Amino acid sequence: MLKITFLGTGTSQGIPVIGSKHPVCLSSNPKDKRLRVSVLLSWQDYNFVIDCGPDFRQQMLRHKVDKLDGILFTHEHSDHTAGIDDIRPFFFRQGDIPVFADEVVINSLKRRFDYIFADDNRYPGAPAVKVNFIENNKPFKIGNKTAIPIEAYHNRLKVFGFRVDDFAYLTDIKTISSKEIDKIRGVKVLSVNALRIEPHHSHFNLEEALAFVEEVNPEKTYFSHISHYLGFHEEVQKKLPKNVYLAYDNLTLNV
Ligand SMILES: [Zn+2]
Ligand SMILES: [Zn+2]
């Protein structure tokens, strides 16, 4: 059994957007409030997160996560990585925190968070990570399970989704080959990005996300990485086909 917790389901600025008077940003429905995307995968004694964006600290506190076994990164954009400094409490208790990412992502993190990756003259109190490269799109071990990387594209930027058991998580994708789709066809639960109604150069809009669901044919799908431009949670949900749902922050599933 794998427990999935949606820690955040919003696009890069989150919802509400700072200073926005858009009706969705002003909504009082908790399901219209979305932190930056991340999911927590828990089983037995293990906790892994996919991405750690700027809301990571708040997400860890909200869900009382007291041990973190690793972070899988989809890509280097700040809304997926900017919270990495807040691994410090985990680092102090556990030592170097394992991260799993493509070399391009690690190089970006090294530039932006050089003190985390410093070999010598480390600043006292700086956290450290144990780097695990995702090589040649090959499966890798997380705890006693296997994570299967799913390669996709975010405009021209390579991004990785991950399949663990019968759960597949993809975010920030715009195109994906049928060979990669084969790795997740018929999965029990799929989570994929559905940004808004209008097309976007680097994200699936709702129509593209629905077409992708038809192709993958999962038992259930949860859309995430949602912009306020998609509309009110309750109204959008009513228009979705059977077994397709909008994810919302703090939603948990057992797969
Ligand atoms: Zn993003
Ligand atoms: Zn992105």
Side-chain angles (χ1 to χ4, degrees):
M1 181 85 88
L2 182 61
K3 183 182 173 196
I4 311 297
T5 305
F6 286 85
L7 301 173
T9 57
T11 188
S12 55
Q13 297 184 81
I15 307 178
V17 171
I18 295 172
S20 169
K21 302 286 189 289
H22 188 283
V24 172
C25 293
L26 299 177
S27 166
S28 56
N29 183 350
K31 290 181 180 171
D32 286 319
K33 304 207 181 299
R34 301 181 188 276
L35 298 177
R36 268 59 70 87
V37 291
S38 179
V39 286
L40 173 66
L41 311 179
S42 316
W43 71 97
Q44 297 167 355
D45 184 33
Y46 295 108
N47 290 313
F48 286 83
V49 287
I50 302 182
D51 291 331
C52 71
D55 300 315
F56 176 73
R57 175 176 177 274
Q58 192 180 340
Q59 292 162 335
M60 294 299 97
L61 289 172
R62 194 184 262 184
H63 294 279
K64 300 185 165 52
V65 181
D66 57 8
K67 170 177 172 270
L68 186 65
D69 297 287
I71 304 168
L72 288 67
F73 284 108
T74 59
H75 66 302
E76 64 266 38
H77 284 163
S78 277
D79 55 321
H80 300 257
T81 56
I84 193 169
D85 185 69
D86 282 319
I87 61 171
R88 293 175 69 218
F90 296 116
F91 166 73
F92 294 147
R93 284 197 296 267
Q94 301 168 217
D96 297 9
I97 301 299
V99 297
F100 302 83
D102 187 66
E103 192 178 359
V104 173
V105 176
I106 296 297
N107 288 338
S108 167
L109 291 173
K110 278 183 178 170
R111 283 193 300 275
R112 292 152 59 215
F113 300 94
D114 56 349
Y115 61 96
I116 295 179
F117 294 84
D119 290 329
D120 43 5
N121 277 328
R122 294 185 54 79
Y123 184 79
V129 292
K130 180 180 185 310
V131 174
N132 299 276
F133 290 106
I134 299 171
E135 284 177 49
N136 302 319
N137 199 3
K138 281 209 200 90
F140 54 91
K141 281 277 173 208
I142 53 167
N144 56 2
K145 290 190 185 287
T146 300
I148 301 169
I150 316 294
E151 191 183 293
Y153 283 84
H154 185 28
N155 196 339
R156 280 178 303 181
L157 181 71
K158 183 162 81 177
V159 298
F160 278 110
F162 302 100
R163 174 178 181 162
V164 179
D165 292 348
D166 261 322
F167 174 66
Y169 180 83
L170 291 148
T171 190
D172 295 54
I173 80 166
K174 177 69 176 180
T175 53
I176 179 168
S177 71
S178 56
K179 196 171 120 244
E180 293 299 297
I181 294 175
D182 283 344
K183 295 180 184 174
I184 55 170
R185 242 179 257 282
V187 83
K188 284 204 178 101
V189 176
L190 167 71
S191 178
V192 68
N193 53 300
L195 185 72
R196 62 187 190 190
I197 308 297
E198 292 290 307
H200 187 276
H201 69 98
S202 64
H203 288 275
F204 279 165
N205 66 356
L206 183 60
E207 194 184 336
E208 289 163 330
L210 287 167
F212 181 69
V213 171
E214 286 220 347
E215 201 169 352
V216 175
N217 194 28
E219 283 180 20
K220 287 185 177 173
T221 301
Y222 292 84
F223 290 149
S224 188
H225 210 286
I226 292 165
S227 157
H228 58 292
Y229 293 122
L230 187 65
F232 292 104
H233 181 95
E234 300 296 347
E235 288 181 14
V236 178
Q237 181 58 59
K238 278 185 207 145
K239 294 178 193 152
L240 295 178
K242 200 165 164 260
N243 296 322
V244 179
Y245 309 91
L246 291 189
Y248 52 89
D249 289 19
N250 311 320
L251 168 68
T252 62
L253 307 166
N254 288 312
V255 185

